[in-house]
Amino acid sequence: MTNQPQVSWYEGANTKASEVKNTVNYNTVDADSHSHIKVFYIWNNRGGTEDVSKMEEVVFTTRDRQGGDGSAQGNVVEAVRDNWFHVRVDSLNENENGWTPVGKGGVNTVNPSGTKDLGTSGTTTNVNAETAQVWSASKALTLDTYVQPTVANGYIYKVTKAGTTDGTEPTSWVKVEGNPVVDGTVEYIAIQIKKKPNAKEILGFANNTDVNGSNADLAGGNFVQISVFADVPMTASAGKNLLMQRVSYRYV
């Protein structure tokens, strides 16, 4: 995969209208109190018509506006330095015990790394599954056509060599991603219909997600849902804390 991930954030609702394009404001929070909890949906390739690379080793943290840990002289950001922000990964069904402080981290803190692993238990359904034609005998098929067996098996099959199907349906449609199937003069590769990301991954498959998010579950492997709040200590200084919420990842 050569197309880099296409990352977008949505606040409060999984709709295009809720896309984050400006500053997120947690408003005024008094010392020794909590901010309101904010919910974010972090997507890879929302509504994309072509696959892009998946995001791997995905983690969330906070940083000061210069990308530092909030402790630099002349640029102290207590919210980052002192790990005020707490994160829970709702797309992994974490409960109230799942809240993790993020920021600078450090030795003798609850979370020394200062980061939170992100992920999802959702799956993404291949967009070609709905239109894949049911196999039929002695049928001419062109390159990149998608076919499904007469008895559904969780896979569709993409034509990699055009030709004509056999008079008898293949007796064993392989169920291993990427493996070949020969059918008369046609050759296919197997494609699993529903894909689930590994830990700390966000998939980048093409999807037909509506602007209102009503069918977002069909691309459940392409986004994570998190909840975030700030726990401001009694010792907090007065004034603004300007910072970044950051998702870091790698891709190939």
Side-chain angles (χ1 to χ4, degrees):
M1 186 64 61
T2 57
N3 294 330
Q4 68 181 25
Q6 300 296 309
V7 183
S8 53
W9 291 53
Y10 305 85
E11 181 185 345
N14 206 354
T15 64
K16 282 292 287 183
S18 301
E19 186 169 3
V20 176
K21 296 183 178 180
N22 297 298
T23 301
V24 173
N25 191 349
Y26 283 83
N27 300 316
T28 301
V29 184
D30 294 332
D32 196 28
S33 65
H34 296 170
S35 72
H36 292 300
I37 296 173
K38 288 185 175 288
V39 175
F40 297 97
Y41 301 85
I42 304 169
W43 273 82
N44 183 12
N45 200 31
R46 180 174 183 147
T49 57
E50 296 183 358
D51 295 347
V52 302
S53 294
K54 65 183 177 182
M55 300 161 64
E56 302 176 68
E57 302 298 323
V58 186
V59 297
F60 178 97
T61 192
T62 58
R63 285 292 179 260
D64 63 43
R65 291 290 180 88
Q66 281 69 52
D69 63 12
S71 62
Q73 186 174 0
N75 187 40
V76 171
V77 181
E78 293 177 44
V80 178
R81 183 194 66 186
D82 299 334
N83 309 300
W84 290 2
F85 280 84
H86 290 62
V87 185
R88 181 184 67 196
V89 184
D90 304 320
S91 50
L92 289 175
N93 300 312
E94 292 186 341
N95 58 27
E96 290 302 310
N97 296 321
W99 293 106
T100 303
V102 297
K104 179 183 177 180
V107 178
N108 298 323
T109 65
V110 173
N111 179 24
S113 72
T115 64
K116 174 75 170 182
D117 294 350
L118 301 188
T120 178
S121 59
T123 59
T124 295
T125 300
N126 190 292
V127 292
N128 298 294
E130 186 176 350
T131 56
Q133 57 185 270
V134 177
W135 183 90
S136 59
S138 304
K139 183 176 178 64
L141 296 177
T142 57
L143 195 65
D144 296 334
T145 299
Y146 290 87
V147 172
Q148 57 180 307
T150 56
V151 177
N153 67 352
Y155 283 75
I156 55 176
Y157 298 83
K158 181 180 180 180
V159 175
T160 56
K161 180 182 177 183
T164 302
T165 62
D166 197 7
T168 303
E169 183 175 5
T171 56
S172 178
W173 292 98
V174 298
K175 294 191 289 184
V176 179
E177 180 79 16
N179 274 21
V181 176
V182 176
D183 172 22
T185 58
V186 177
E187 292 182 10
Y188 315 96
I189 56 168
I191 299 174
Q192 190 172 13
I193 293 174
K194 291 187 177 182
K195 303 279 183 63
K196 182 177 181 178
N198 295 321
K200 299 174 66 176
E201 289 185 351
I202 305 176
L203 302 179
F205 292 117
N207 60 92
N208 296 320
T209 304
D210 293 336
V211 294
N212 63 11
S214 62
N215 63 343
D217 61 304
L218 296 178
N222 279 47
F223 70 91
V224 298
Q225 178 183 334
I226 63 173
S227 293
V228 184
F229 75 91
D231 182 5
V232 182
M234 178 64 78
T235 55
S237 303
K240 290 184 177 180
N241 278 257
L242 302 177
L243 57 108
M244 299 186 293
Q245 297 182 141
R246 173 179 287 178
V247 169
S248 300
Y249 60 92
R250 67 179 179 87
Y251 74 95
V252 293

